[in-house]
Amino acid sequence: MSQTTDIASLKKLSSQIRRDIVRMVHACQSGHPGGSLGCTDFFVALYFKLMKHDPKFNMNGIGEDLFFLSNGHISPVWYSTLARAGYFDAKELGTFRKLDSRLQGHPATHEHLPGIRIASGSLGQGLSVASGAAQTKKLNKDDRFVYVLMGDGEIQEGQVWEAAMYAGYNKLDNLIATIDYNGQQIDGPVDKILSLLNLRAKWESFGWIVQEFNGNIMEEVVAGLENAQKLAKQGKPVMNLMKTEMGFGVDYMVGSHKWHGVAPNDEELKKALAQLEETLGDY
């Protein structure tokens, strides 16, 4: 599917991708719907409007923007986005988490699924990879951006802060990172597990430009990502603190850490699909 500048079309894409997500995790009774639903608008804005990318897919991505998913457990939203963007047939979404599927629970490179450049089952590694890719583009005089998405619970990992220090010190100003700031992780609210305190101050102290926006309002997501591109290339990497609600789009899932890694049953699936418009046709 070609890129679009129409907000209404982007919203329709988000609705379809949310349908894909709940159907995928229901079919195998496994997966992570909560964060996937919360980040859907971000993925749609990135892949269908902001990012320069080619669904024919070349691993090196020369002359293209690169995207890395660090919080790999929200693979359903990424797989659906890639399929709907033309990387592979949407019918393959029906194989999610099944034996011999290319669509593993956490993205991996062994199956050679188009769009996937790193394995991200273990959390905390995406920013390191993205920093390396951003530095490589600079060395190669490739003027495109590198994007990475992380979870807020994930950044309790120490490796994230090593990468944050490295990217700031090396002025990787072609790097645009985003944190899915939904306040929930698998064991409960982030503030009760290990509070992140003042995230903005932390990232700024590491030499990053920081902005905040609502990740569940398409207009704000698009404006936020467009502004991130404007803030980039000024000597500092850019951090988006993106406020979302886990499970957004399905009323009984919204805001609950219960839906971090639980699949809906048959009745719950029907309720979810009743709230989400089918716009491109289910796979």
Side-chain angles (χ1 to χ4, degrees):
M1 177 169 289
S2 60
Q3 292 198 327
T4 179
T5 58
D6 179 10
I7 293 293
S9 296
L10 294 174
K11 289 180 178 179
K12 285 181 178 293
L13 277 163
S14 289
S15 180
Q16 184 64 59
I17 287 174
R18 286 188 167 101
R19 287 181 67 88
D20 292 346
I21 291 165
V22 294
R23 294 178 75 238
M24 289 162 69
V25 296
H26 168 265
C28 63
Q29 282 298 292
S30 180
H32 296 77
S36 294
L37 292 167
C39 286
T40 299
D41 302 298
F42 168 83
F43 275 86
V44 169
L46 197 62
Y47 272 85
F48 292 93
K49 183 172 173 61
L50 276 300
M51 197 164 68
K52 179 183 178 183
H53 63 104
D54 186 354
K56 292 180 181 178
F57 188 62
N58 177 280
M59 181 63 83
N60 291 327
I62 297 170
E64 297 181 59
D65 294 327
L66 303 182
F67 172 76
F68 297 100
L69 178 65
S70 188
N71 48 332
H73 54 279
I74 67 167
S75 61
V77 63
W78 197 17
Y79 292 150
S80 174
T81 300
L82 289 171
R84 297 298 181 174
Y87 281 76
F88 55 89
D89 194 317
K91 291 180 181 178
E92 193 170 351
L93 297 176
T95 71
F96 176 64
R97 278 184 175 248
K98 295 180 180 178
L99 290 176
D100 299 320
S101 173
R102 296 195 297 175
L103 279 60
Q104 294 191 21
H106 295 78
T109 55
H110 184 265
E111 287 73 21
H112 305 292
L113 186 68
I116 310 299
R117 290 188 167 90
I118 63 165
S120 52
S122 297
L123 297 181
Q125 300 176 1
L127 187 59
S128 299
V129 176
S131 296
Q135 192 163 44
T136 298
K137 281 194 176 291
K138 279 185 166 293
L139 290 170
N140 290 338
K141 296 180 170 51
D142 183 339
D143 197 37
R144 301 310 307 172
F145 296 107
V146 176
Y147 295 88
V148 60
L149 177 65
M150 300 176 280
D152 51 1
E154 175 189 10
I155 64 172
Q156 295 162 345
E157 299 258 8
Q159 182 173 336
V160 173
W161 298 101
E162 293 181 51
M165 182 166 55
Y166 184 89
Y169 177 77
N170 285 282
K171 298 179 171 55
L172 300 181
D173 58 0
N174 56 341
L175 175 60
I176 298 176
T178 301
I179 292 172
D180 175 23
Y181 204 0
N182 63 24
Q184 306 291 333
Q185 59 190 101
I186 194 166
D187 291 327
V190 173
D191 280 342
K192 290 187 178 180
I193 306 301
L194 181 60
S195 179
L196 304 173
L197 300 175
N198 191 334
L199 266 190
R200 185 182 193 110
K202 281 186 170 72
W203 287 96
E204 288 178 342
S205 72
F206 277 74
W208 291 61
I209 298 172
V210 181
Q211 66 166 352
E212 301 179 47
F213 57 83
N214 188 318
N216 296 138
I217 299 175
M218 183 61 75
E219 292 85 348
E220 290 198 27
V221 178
V222 170
L225 290 174
E226 287 178 336
N227 195 53
Q229 292 180 339
K230 294 175 183 175
L231 293 171
K233 309 295 179 70
Q234 297 183 45
K236 294 182 178 183
V238 177
M239 170 54 69
N240 301 315
L241 300 181
M242 183 177 72
K243 293 279 191 173
T244 70
E245 289 190 272
M246 181 169 283
F248 188 84
V250 178
D251 59 6
Y252 61 84
M253 293 187 183
V254 172
S256 171
H257 76 271
K258 170 192 172 184
W259 292 100
H260 174 95
V262 175
N265 60 32
D266 292 351
E267 188 60 33
E268 289 166 337
L269 176 65
K270 290 179 182 177
K271 289 180 180 178
L273 293 177
Q275 299 173 43
L276 299 166
E277 180 186 7
E278 182 179 345
T279 59
L280 297 180
D282 290 332
Y283 57 84

